[in-house]
Amino acid sequence: MSDGSDSLPKEGLNRREFLSASAVPIAAAALSGSKLAAEGSRATIPSQDVIRLGFIGAGANVRNVMIPRLLESPGVELLAVANRSLESSQRAADEVGISRAYSHWEELLRDDDVDAVVIGTWPYMHRTLTLASLEAGKHTLCQARMANTAQEARDMLEASLRYPHLVSQLVPTSTSYAIDNVIMEHVDGGFFGEVLSVEIQRLLRDTRATLARTGPNGFAHVGGDLLWRHNRQYSGYNILNIGSTMESMIRWFGRGTRVMAMTKVHVPYRYLDGKRTSVTIPDHVDVMYELMNGAQAHMRFSASTGHSNGNQTWIYGTEGTLHVDEESRIFAGRKSDSGLSEVPNGPERRVPRIVERQFINAIRGTEEVTMVPFETGVHYMEFTEAVTLSARSGQAVYLPL
């Protein structure tokens, strides 16, 4: 077994304070090295006009999740698709009712009738496609994870700043929107006093979506298939659900400042088309990192923890404690309480998935992008890369990279 870092290239608070103090410098840094397009308002498409969408990489998630939600907005047309081959493009077009099928993504971007592009490929193509889409004058919605590396993510952010008249947006990686409002209310309302420490556990279990990545009951999937998420070429520094968890933590507490990590590959070989193939992306990760206020956060991610107690979140403060259990139920208690009590979290308090609606509305000029801006993607990609750099070197890695 290994820590999964051998084959890698060598590269060297509170929530409101983060949003005001931490997000601006990265945008300023990107701006300083680029020539912005002419200043002006965003090139919006009026509500009476049709927004014609092109899809680069229309896999199952795009077809089954994103397209139905995009069509909930009025005035949207599914115009074009480009998959790996013309045959694959045509199958996707026939399945969901897309008008034009292309054999290559460059053909789609040359189609002047396409107003906006949805990128649904694996992370290794995100930088190339995002830059090309923006340069072609298309509004761009990119699937998560943002990129393979932090530098690719920064390149994408810089490109978005060169074209401020175009919408640039990421699909959220996070699954915590159902609990975000309650946690942020507790943080902003002073419930915790001073946040002292955070414990996060995110495990892959044998649900339909993850069975190919982990074995029954969460045990290591020895002899399993090699998926793109196990492939360094396609996934880069992305490991398990590290990025999605950091996206949540950024909303709750802001960015971290220091990362220390250990990783392990528990399944060093998987099978691709019947051929035994080595794996370097870890199955198990432990991370210690420091919040901006000095609090320590411990995070564990794993696809090899059989019969575990599942996903858990604990937030400890000088005045209060909050716990989120495997079923996303929230419990909290103050120092004066005898224990934790369940916190109401009805549908009216939960944030629904709005990324597709927000993308269309942003193009029309009626809504700003909050789910998720490129700046957030850069932050979680820097954290993700720092985890591997720390595991490889055995030393702390400071953020931002």
Side-chain angles (χ1 to χ4, degrees):
M1 297 182 185
S2 72
D3 67 1
S5 63
D6 300 337
S7 64
L8 292 175
K10 295 182 179 179
E11 301 179 22
L13 129 129
N14 67 32
R15 220 168 37 84
R16 289 196 179 100
E17 289 172 342
F18 156 73
L19 292 174
S20 62
S22 177
V24 173
I26 191 165
L31 278 167
S32 65
S34 66
K35 294 181 180 179
L36 287 179
E39 297 285 341
S41 59
R42 179 166 288 160
T44 59
I45 298 178
S47 59
Q48 67 270 20
D49 292 345
V50 172
I51 297 175
R52 295 159 298 188
L53 299 176
F55 299 88
I56 302 176
N61 185 65
V62 170
R63 298 194 309 272
N64 300 331
V65 178
M66 299 187 69
I67 285 179
R69 286 183 166 91
L70 286 163
L71 290 174
E72 290 175 1
S73 295
V76 170
E77 178 185 348
L78 311 180
L79 182 64
V81 60
N83 280 354
R84 290 192 173 193
S85 67
L86 181 58
E87 293 75 18
S88 175
S89 299
Q90 192 60 60
R91 285 195 301 270
D94 293 341
E95 178 181 336
V96 296
I98 300 175
S99 304
R100 304 174 188 175
Y102 289 111
S103 61
H104 197 277
W105 58 266
E106 290 179 336
E107 297 174 352
L108 185 147
L109 293 183
R110 286 196 295 266
D111 188 337
D112 291 335
D113 292 334
V114 173
D115 300 308
V117 169
V118 176
I119 298 170
T121 65
W122 299 335
Y124 80 113
M125 285 295 293
H126 289 177
R127 175 193 178 277
T128 297
L129 295 174
T130 296
L131 269 60
S133 178
L134 293 171
E135 288 167 2
K138 318 293 188 185
H139 302 284
T140 303
L141 174 61
C142 183
Q143 184 61 267
R145 307 305 191 259
M146 185 175 186
N148 266 13
T149 70
Q151 185 56 56
E152 289 182 1
R154 287 190 288 268
D155 291 345
M156 293 166 66
L157 172 60
E158 183 175 345
S160 74
L161 295 170
R162 286 200 302 270
Y163 301 97
H165 60 294
L166 297 173
V167 174
S168 300
Q169 184 174 1
L170 292 173
V171 174
T173 65
S174 173
T175 58
S176 72
Y177 286 99
I179 60 175
D180 278 351
N181 280 340
V182 172
I183 292 178
M184 290 189 291
E185 287 169 6
H186 281 68
V187 173
D188 290 344
F191 171 85
F192 297 103
E194 180 184 357
V195 174
L196 299 176
S197 64
V198 181
E199 297 279 340
I200 299 281
Q201 181 169 273
R202 294 291 180 264
L203 311 176
L204 291 183
R205 310 295 289 276
D206 55 342
T207 64
R208 277 187 168 184
T210 63
L211 188 55
R213 288 181 275 161
T214 184
N217 300 313
F219 283 83
H221 196 195
V222 178
D225 291 335
L226 181 75
L227 305 179
W228 69 267
R229 294 177 187 273
H230 306 127
N231 192 318
R232 187 74 67 180
Q233 175 186 351
Y234 299 136
S235 289
Y237 285 107
N238 295 292
I239 305 171
L240 299 170
N241 42 8
I242 286 179
S244 62
T245 304
M246 178 47 53
E247 183 186 314
S248 300
M249 293 288 280
I250 288 170
R251 286 195 296 274
W252 302 346
F253 304 114
R255 298 175 66 188
T257 60
R258 183 169 53 149
V259 178
M260 298 182 68
M262 295 180 66
T263 65
K264 185 67 69 175
V265 178
H266 286 150
V267 183
Y269 298 97
R270 293 179 181 268
Y271 289 85
L272 178 64
D273 298 328
K275 182 179 179 181
R276 192 170 186 245
T277 306
S278 62
V279 176
T280 62
I281 293 183
D283 310 292
H284 189 94
V285 181
D286 279 286
V287 181
M288 289 291 299
Y289 86 101
E290 190 173 64
L291 300 179
M292 294 183 75
N293 73 339
Q296 292 182 349
H298 173 225
M299 305 166 78
R300 182 168 78 150
F301 308 89
S302 186
S304 54
T305 48
H307 294 313
S308 73
N309 59 351
N311 294 342
Q312 305 285 328
T313 301
W314 288 90
I315 304 172
Y316 300 100
T318 56
E319 302 297 325
T321 294
L322 184 144
H323 170 57
V324 183
D325 70 6
E326 168 76 352
E327 306 300 324
S328 293
R329 294 176 299 182
I330 305 172
F331 302 85
R334 293 184 180 276
K335 185 163 54 178
S336 57
D337 297 332
S338 59
L340 304 181
S341 301
E342 187 165 2
V343 178
N345 187 28
E348 73 283 354
R349 303 188 75 185
R350 302 182 183 187
V351 179
R353 180 185 173 109
I354 61 171
V355 57
E356 293 86 3
R357 184 206 75 196
Q358 195 171 79
F359 183 57
I360 298 302
N361 288 347
I363 293 172
R364 298 202 185 281
T366 61
E367 191 169 353
E368 291 297 320
V369 170
T370 59
M371 185 189 285
V372 170
F374 275 17
E375 287 84 353
T376 299
V378 170
H379 296 328
Y380 73 65
M381 284 305 308
E382 288 191 332
F383 176 82
T384 299
E385 188 165 324
V387 166
T388 297
L389 296 178
S390 175
R392 184 180 65 196
S393 67
Q395 299 178 350
V397 175
Y398 290 82
L399 296 174
L401 294 180

mmCIF file of all heavy atoms in Angstrom, residues 179-214:
data_model
loop_
_atom_site.group_PDB
_atom_site.id
_atom_site.type_symbol
_atom_site.label_atom_id
_atom_site.label_comp_id
_atom_site.label_asym_id
_atom_site.label_seq_id
_atom_site.Cartn_x
_atom_site.Cartn_y
_atom_site.Cartn_z
ATOM 1 N N ILE A 179 -28.283 21.651 5.039
ATOM 2 C CA ILE A 179 -27.967 22.042 6.420
ATOM 3 C C ILE A 179 -27.243 23.374 6.514
ATOM 4 O O ILE A 179 -27.011 23.884 7.619
ATOM 5 C CB ILE A 179 -27.115 20.950 7.111
ATOM 6 C CG1 ILE A 179 -25.788 20.741 6.360
ATOM 7 C CG2 ILE A 179 -27.897 19.647 7.217
ATOM 8 C CD1 ILE A 179 -24.837 19.780 7.040
ATOM 9 N N ASP A 180 -26.881 23.964 5.383
ATOM 10 C CA ASP A 180 -26.059 25.177 5.392
ATOM 11 C C ASP A 180 -26.681 26.321 6.171
ATOM 12 O O ASP A 180 -26.009 26.996 6.962
ATOM 13 C CB ASP A 180 -25.784 25.644 3.957
ATOM 14 C CG ASP A 180 -24.628 24.899 3.313
ATOM 15 O OD1 ASP A 180 -23.936 24.145 4.023
ATOM 16 O OD2 ASP A 180 -24.425 25.064 2.103
ATOM 17 N N ASN A 181 -27.955 26.595 5.927
ATOM 18 C CA ASN A 181 -28.569 27.756 6.570
ATOM 19 C C ASN A 181 -28.528 27.657 8.081
ATOM 20 O O ASN A 181 -28.233 28.637 8.781
ATOM 21 C CB ASN A 181 -30.019 27.921 6.091
ATOM 22 C CG ASN A 181 -30.106 28.592 4.736
ATOM 23 O OD1 ASN A 181 -29.172 29.262 4.304
ATOM 24 N ND2 ASN A 181 -31.221 28.423 4.046
ATOM 25 N N VAL A 182 -28.809 26.464 8.613
ATOM 26 C CA VAL A 182 -28.810 26.298 10.066
ATOM 27 C C VAL A 182 -27.402 26.497 10.623
ATOM 28 O O VAL A 182 -27.210 27.188 11.631
ATOM 29 C CB VAL A 182 -29.352 24.907 10.444
ATOM 30 C CG1 VAL A 182 -29.170 24.661 11.943
ATOM 31 C CG2 VAL A 182 -30.826 24.795 10.076
ATOM 32 N N ILE A 183 -26.411 25.899 9.987
ATOM 33 C CA ILE A 183 -25.045 26.033 10.489
ATOM 34 C C ILE A 183 -24.581 27.481 10.421
ATOM 35 O O ILE A 183 -24.006 28.015 11.384
ATOM 36 C CB ILE A 183 -24.095 25.110 9.710
ATOM 37 C CG1 ILE A 183 -24.406 23.647 10.030
ATOM 38 C CG2 ILE A 183 -22.637 25.430 10.042
ATOM 39 C CD1 ILE A 183 -23.564 22.648 9.284
ATOM 40 N N MET A 184 -24.839 28.151 9.296
ATOM 41 C CA MET A 184 -24.387 29.540 9.163
ATOM 42 C C MET A 184 -25.121 30.459 10.131
ATOM 43 O O MET A 184 -24.535 31.424 10.632
ATOM 44 C CB MET A 184 -24.553 29.989 7.714
ATOM 45 C CG MET A 184 -23.579 29.298 6.772
ATOM 46 S SD MET A 184 -23.539 29.948 5.076
ATOM 47 C CE MET A 184 -25.142 29.448 4.469
ATOM 48 N N GLU A 185 -26.391 30.188 10.421
ATOM 49 C CA GLU A 185 -27.107 30.973 11.427
ATOM 50 C C GLU A 185 -26.456 30.824 12.797
ATOM 51 O O GLU A 185 -26.331 31.793 13.558
ATOM 52 C CB GLU A 185 -28.567 30.526 11.485
ATOM 53 C CG GLU A 185 -29.407 30.976 10.289
ATOM 54 C CD GLU A 185 -30.759 30.284 10.250
ATOM 55 O OE1 GLU A 185 -31.080 29.544 11.226
ATOM 56 O OE2 GLU A 185 -31.495 30.463 9.261
ATOM 57 N N HIS A 186 -26.033 29.619 13.129
ATOM 58 C CA HIS A 186 -25.383 29.393 14.417
ATOM 59 C C HIS A 186 -24.010 30.067 14.473
ATOM 60 O O HIS A 186 -23.632 30.632 15.510
ATOM 61 C CB HIS A 186 -25.254 27.892 14.680
ATOM 62 C CG HIS A 186 -26.513 27.248 15.173
ATOM 63 N ND1 HIS A 186 -27.639 27.097 14.391
ATOM 64 C CD2 HIS A 186 -26.828 26.723 16.389
ATOM 65 C CE1 HIS A 186 -28.584 26.507 15.096
ATOM 66 N NE2 HIS A 186 -28.123 26.267 16.308
ATOM 67 N N VAL A 187 -23.275 30.006 13.374
ATOM 68 C CA VAL A 187 -21.962 30.661 13.347
ATOM 69 C C VAL A 187 -22.124 32.172 13.444
ATOM 70 O O VAL A 187 -21.490 32.839 14.280
ATOM 71 C CB VAL A 187 -21.196 30.278 12.066
ATOM 72 C CG1 VAL A 187 -19.911 31.098 11.950
ATOM 73 C CG2 VAL A 187 -20.863 28.789 12.053
ATOM 74 N N ASP A 188 -22.957 32.745 12.591
ATOM 75 C CA ASP A 188 -23.110 34.196 12.547
ATOM 76 C C ASP A 188 -23.806 34.742 13.792
ATOM 77 O O ASP A 188 -23.575 35.892 14.183
ATOM 78 C CB ASP A 188 -23.906 34.608 11.303
ATOM 79 C CG ASP A 188 -23.118 34.393 10.019
ATOM 80 O OD1 ASP A 188 -21.892 34.226 10.103
ATOM 81 O OD2 ASP A 188 -23.733 34.386 8.935
ATOM 82 N N GLY A 189 -24.662 33.920 14.413
ATOM 83 C CA GLY A 189 -25.404 34.383 15.583
ATOM 84 C C GLY A 189 -24.640 34.274 16.882
ATOM 85 O O GLY A 189 -25.176 34.621 17.946
ATOM 86 N N GLY A 190 -23.406 33.777 16.828
ATOM 87 C CA GLY A 190 -22.599 33.697 18.037
ATOM 88 C C GLY A 190 -22.906 32.517 18.932
ATOM 89 O O GLY A 190 -22.470 32.483 20.091
ATOM 90 N N PHE A 191 -23.645 31.536 18.411
ATOM 91 C CA PHE A 191 -24.029 30.385 19.231
ATOM 92 C C PHE A 191 -22.811 29.671 19.812
ATOM 93 O O PHE A 191 -22.820 29.233 20.964
ATOM 94 C CB PHE A 191 -24.841 29.402 18.378
ATOM 95 C CG PHE A 191 -25.125 28.080 19.039
ATOM 96 C CD1 PHE A 191 -26.213 27.930 19.889
ATOM 97 C CD2 PHE A 191 -24.294 26.985 18.823
ATOM 98 C CE1 PHE A 191 -26.460 26.714 20.503
ATOM 99 C CE2 PHE A 191 -24.539 25.767 19.429
ATOM 100 C CZ PHE A 191 -25.626 25.636 20.276
ATOM 101 N N PHE A 192 -21.743 29.550 19.044
ATOM 102 C CA PHE A 192 -20.577 28.782 19.475
ATOM 103 C C PHE A 192 -19.653 29.563 20.394
ATOM 104 O O PHE A 192 -18.763 28.974 21.007
ATOM 105 C CB PHE A 192 -19.769 28.319 18.254
ATOM 106 C CG PHE A 192 -20.520 27.392 17.345
ATOM 107 C CD1 PHE A 192 -21.058 27.856 16.153
ATOM 108 C CD2 PHE A 192 -20.699 26.060 17.689
ATOM 109 C CE1 PHE A 192 -21.754 27.011 15.312
ATOM 110 C CE2 PHE A 192 -21.400 25.201 16.853
ATOM 111 C CZ PHE A 192 -21.928 25.675 15.658
ATOM 112 N N GLY A 193 -19.862 30.878 20.518
ATOM 113 C CA GLY A 193 -18.837 31.690 21.128
ATOM 114 C C GLY A 193 -17.663 31.724 20.171
ATOM 115 O O GLY A 193 -17.805 32.120 19.011
ATOM 116 N N GLU A 194 -16.503 31.277 20.604
ATOM 117 C CA GLU A 194 -15.365 31.118 19.708
ATOM 118 C C GLU A 194 -15.306 29.672 19.244
ATOM 119 O O GLU A 194 -15.317 28.741 20.064
ATOM 120 C CB GLU A 194 -14.063 31.474 20.427
ATOM 121 C CG GLU A 194 -12.835 31.338 19.544
ATOM 122 C CD GLU A 194 -11.537 31.603 20.292
ATOM 123 O OE1 GLU A 194 -11.623 31.947 21.488
ATOM 124 O OE2 GLU A 194 -10.461 31.441 19.695
ATOM 125 N N VAL A 195 -15.261 29.464 17.952
ATOM 126 C CA VAL A 195 -15.124 28.108 17.419
ATOM 127 C C VAL A 195 -13.724 27.599 17.756
ATOM 128 O O VAL A 195 -12.717 28.237 17.430
ATOM 129 C CB VAL A 195 -15.357 28.073 15.899
ATOM 130 C CG1 VAL A 195 -15.053 26.679 15.335
ATOM 131 C CG2 VAL A 195 -16.791 28.458 15.568
ATOM 132 N N LEU A 196 -13.664 26.431 18.408
ATOM 133 C CA LEU A 196 -12.393 25.865 18.855
ATOM 134 C C LEU A 196 -11.890 24.751 17.948
ATOM 135 O O LEU A 196 -10.692 24.667 17.661
ATOM 136 C CB LEU A 196 -12.533 25.322 20.282
ATOM 137 C CG LEU A 196 -12.917 26.332 21.366
ATOM 138 C CD1 LEU A 196 -13.097 25.617 22.694
ATOM 139 C CD2 LEU A 196 -11.869 27.427 21.482
ATOM 140 N N SER A 197 -12.804 23.892 17.496
ATOM 141 C CA SER A 197 -12.399 22.761 16.665
ATOM 142 C C SER A 197 -13.592 22.235 15.879
ATOM 143 O O SER A 197 -14.748 22.459 16.248
ATOM 144 C CB SER A 197 -11.786 21.636 17.511
ATOM 145 O OG SER A 197 -12.750 21.112 18.408
ATOM 146 N N VAL A 198 -13.268 21.531 14.797
ATOM 147 C CA VAL A 198 -14.285 20.947 13.917
ATOM 148 C C VAL A 198 -13.840 19.530 13.578
ATOM 149 O O VAL A 198 -12.671 19.279 13.285
ATOM 150 C CB VAL A 198 -14.448 21.772 12.611
ATOM 151 C CG1 VAL A 198 -15.520 21.151 11.724
ATOM 152 C CG2 VAL A 198 -14.777 23.219 12.933
ATOM 153 N N GLU A 199 -14.786 18.593 13.615
ATOM 154 C CA GLU A 199 -14.535 17.210 13.226
ATOM 155 C C GLU A 199 -15.470 16.851 12.067
ATOM 156 O O GLU A 199 -16.685 17.003 12.190
ATOM 157 C CB GLU A 199 -14.793 16.246 14.396
ATOM 158 C CG GLU A 199 -13.894 16.453 15.591
ATOM 159 C CD GLU A 199 -12.535 15.801 15.410
ATOM 160 O OE1 GLU A 199 -12.420 14.904 14.559
ATOM 161 O OE2 GLU A 199 -11.592 16.205 16.132
ATOM 162 N N ILE A 200 -14.889 16.425 10.966
ATOM 163 C CA ILE A 200 -15.666 16.076 9.775
ATOM 164 C C ILE A 200 -15.300 14.655 9.353
ATOM 165 O O ILE A 200 -14.124 14.308 9.243
ATOM 166 C CB ILE A 200 -15.359 17.022 8.595
ATOM 167 C CG1 ILE A 200 -15.717 18.467 8.948
ATOM 168 C CG2 ILE A 200 -16.071 16.566 7.329
ATOM 169 C CD1 ILE A 200 -17.173 18.790 8.865
ATOM 170 N N GLN A 201 -16.309 13.842 9.089
ATOM 171 C CA GLN A 201 -16.097 12.500 8.542
ATOM 172 C C GLN A 201 -16.987 12.333 7.320
ATOM 173 O O GLN A 201 -18.195 12.500 7.404
ATOM 174 C CB GLN A 201 -16.434 11.436 9.593
ATOM 175 C CG GLN A 201 -16.224 10.016 9.110
ATOM 176 C CD GLN A 201 -16.317 9.014 10.241
ATOM 177 O OE1 GLN A 201 -15.317 8.739 10.909
ATOM 178 N NE2 GLN A 201 -17.504 8.474 10.475
ATOM 179 N N ARG A 202 -16.358 12.040 6.173
ATOM 180 C CA ARG A 202 -17.098 11.861 4.926
ATOM 181 C C ARG A 202 -16.655 10.534 4.297
ATOM 182 O O ARG A 202 -15.524 10.394 3.850
ATOM 183 C CB ARG A 202 -16.833 13.015 3.958
ATOM 184 C CG ARG A 202 -17.355 14.360 4.443
ATOM 185 C CD ARG A 202 -18.874 14.402 4.454
ATOM 186 N NE ARG A 202 -19.369 15.699 4.912
ATOM 187 C CZ ARG A 202 -19.734 15.991 6.156
ATOM 188 N NH1 ARG A 202 -19.637 15.045 7.099
ATOM 189 N NH2 ARG A 202 -20.179 17.187 6.479
ATOM 190 N N LEU A 203 -17.568 9.579 4.286
ATOM 191 C CA LEU A 203 -17.250 8.230 3.851
ATOM 192 C C LEU A 203 -18.110 7.844 2.657
ATOM 193 O O LEU A 203 -19.273 8.228 2.561
ATOM 194 C CB LEU A 203 -17.503 7.240 4.993
ATOM 195 C CG LEU A 203 -16.896 7.625 6.345
ATOM 196 C CD1 LEU A 203 -17.297 6.607 7.396
ATOM 197 C CD2 LEU A 203 -15.384 7.733 6.248
ATOM 198 N N LEU A 204 -17.507 7.079 1.757
ATOM 199 C CA LEU A 204 -18.263 6.524 0.644
ATOM 200 C C LEU A 204 -18.887 5.211 1.104
ATOM 201 O O LEU A 204 -18.200 4.321 1.605
ATOM 202 C CB LEU A 204 -17.365 6.276 -0.567
ATOM 203 C CG LEU A 204 -16.826 7.509 -1.273
ATOM 204 C CD1 LEU A 204 -16.019 7.104 -2.497
ATOM 205 C CD2 LEU A 204 -17.952 8.440 -1.694
ATOM 206 N N ARG A 205 -20.201 5.114 0.933
ATOM 207 C CA ARG A 205 -20.920 3.909 1.332
ATOM 208 C C ARG A 205 -21.437 3.209 0.090
ATOM 209 O O ARG A 205 -21.365 3.713 -1.014
ATOM 210 C CB ARG A 205 -22.086 4.289 2.254
ATOM 211 C CG ARG A 205 -21.686 5.193 3.406
ATOM 212 C CD ARG A 205 -20.730 4.510 4.369
ATOM 213 N NE ARG A 205 -21.412 3.489 5.123
ATOM 214 C CZ ARG A 205 -22.106 3.727 6.231
ATOM 215 N NH1 ARG A 205 -22.200 4.955 6.698
ATOM 216 N NH2 ARG A 205 -22.702 2.755 6.874
ATOM 217 N N ASP A 206 -22.012 2.023 0.251
ATOM 218 C CA ASP A 206 -22.431 1.220 -0.892
ATOM 219 C C ASP A 206 -23.846 1.582 -1.366
ATOM 220 O O ASP A 206 -24.744 0.751 -1.416
ATOM 221 C CB ASP A 206 -22.335 -0.270 -0.582
ATOM 222 C CG ASP A 206 -23.118 -0.666 0.659
ATOM 223 O OD1 ASP A 206 -23.445 0.238 1.447
ATOM 224 O OD2 ASP A 206 -23.397 -1.860 0.834
ATOM 225 N N THR A 207 -24.026 2.861 -1.694
ATOM 226 C CA THR A 207 -25.244 3.278 -2.359
ATOM 227 C C THR A 207 -25.106 2.989 -3.848
ATOM 228 O O THR A 207 -24.043 2.634 -4.332
ATOM 229 C CB THR A 207 -25.494 4.788 -2.152
ATOM 230 O OG1 THR A 207 -24.424 5.504 -2.778
ATOM 231 C CG2 THR A 207 -25.516 5.140 -0.673
ATOM 232 N N ARG A 208 -26.172 3.152 -4.594
ATOM 233 C CA ARG A 208 -26.101 2.908 -6.034
ATOM 234 C C ARG A 208 -25.041 3.768 -6.697
ATOM 235 O O ARG A 208 -24.340 3.341 -7.597
ATOM 236 C CB ARG A 208 -27.462 3.190 -6.682
ATOM 237 C CG ARG A 208 -28.442 2.050 -6.585
ATOM 238 C CD ARG A 208 -29.687 2.365 -7.395
ATOM 239 N NE ARG A 208 -30.509 1.196 -7.551
ATOM 240 C CZ ARG A 208 -31.613 1.170 -8.271
ATOM 241 N NH1 ARG A 208 -32.005 2.260 -8.902
ATOM 242 N NH2 ARG A 208 -32.332 0.057 -8.382
ATOM 243 N N ALA A 209 -24.920 5.009 -6.236
ATOM 244 C CA ALA A 209 -23.985 5.945 -6.874
ATOM 245 C C ALA A 209 -22.540 5.603 -6.573
ATOM 246 O O ALA A 209 -21.650 5.936 -7.343
ATOM 247 C CB ALA A 209 -24.290 7.373 -6.416
ATOM 248 N N THR A 210 -22.282 4.923 -5.448
ATOM 249 C CA THR A 210 -20.894 4.717 -5.035
ATOM 250 C C THR A 210 -20.469 3.265 -5.015
ATOM 251 O O THR A 210 -19.314 2.969 -4.731
ATOM 252 C CB THR A 210 -20.663 5.300 -3.622
ATOM 253 O OG1 THR A 210 -21.490 4.588 -2.683
ATOM 254 C CG2 THR A 210 -20.997 6.774 -3.578
ATOM 255 N N LEU A 211 -21.351 2.309 -5.318
ATOM 256 C CA LEU A 211 -21.014 0.902 -5.193
ATOM 257 C C LEU A 211 -19.814 0.523 -6.043
ATOM 258 O O LEU A 211 -19.018 -0.333 -5.677
ATOM 259 C CB LEU A 211 -22.214 0.027 -5.566
ATOM 260 C CG LEU A 211 -22.058 -1.482 -5.303
ATOM 261 C CD1 LEU A 211 -21.690 -1.733 -3.851
ATOM 262 C CD2 LEU A 211 -23.321 -2.226 -5.670
ATOM 263 N N ALA A 212 -19.652 1.180 -7.201
ATOM 264 C CA ALA A 212 -18.501 0.870 -8.051
ATOM 265 C C ALA A 212 -17.208 1.407 -7.464
ATOM 266 O O ALA A 212 -16.124 0.994 -7.875
ATOM 267 C CB ALA A 212 -18.712 1.447 -9.447
ATOM 268 N N ARG A 213 -17.291 2.339 -6.509
ATOM 269 C CA ARG A 213 -16.090 2.930 -5.927
ATOM 270 C C ARG A 213 -15.734 2.317 -4.583
ATOM 271 O O ARG A 213 -14.618 2.448 -4.109
ATOM 272 C CB ARG A 213 -16.276 4.447 -5.773
ATOM 273 C CG ARG A 213 -16.239 5.194 -7.087
ATOM 274 C CD ARG A 213 -16.392 6.673 -6.853
ATOM 275 N NE ARG A 213 -17.781 7.063 -6.752
ATOM 276 C CZ ARG A 213 -18.197 8.187 -6.200
ATOM 277 N NH1 ARG A 213 -17.335 9.018 -5.680
ATOM 278 N NH2 ARG A 213 -19.479 8.492 -6.157
ATOM 279 N N THR A 214 -16.679 1.673 -3.910
ATOM 280 C CA THR A 214 -16.422 1.060 -2.621
ATOM 281 C C THR A 214 -17.132 -0.279 -2.576
ATOM 282 O O THR A 214 -18.075 -0.519 -3.335
ATOM 283 C CB THR A 214 -16.905 1.967 -1.468
ATOM 284 O OG1 THR A 214 -16.545 1.386 -0.219
ATOM 285 C CG2 THR A 214 -18.404 2.157 -1.504
#
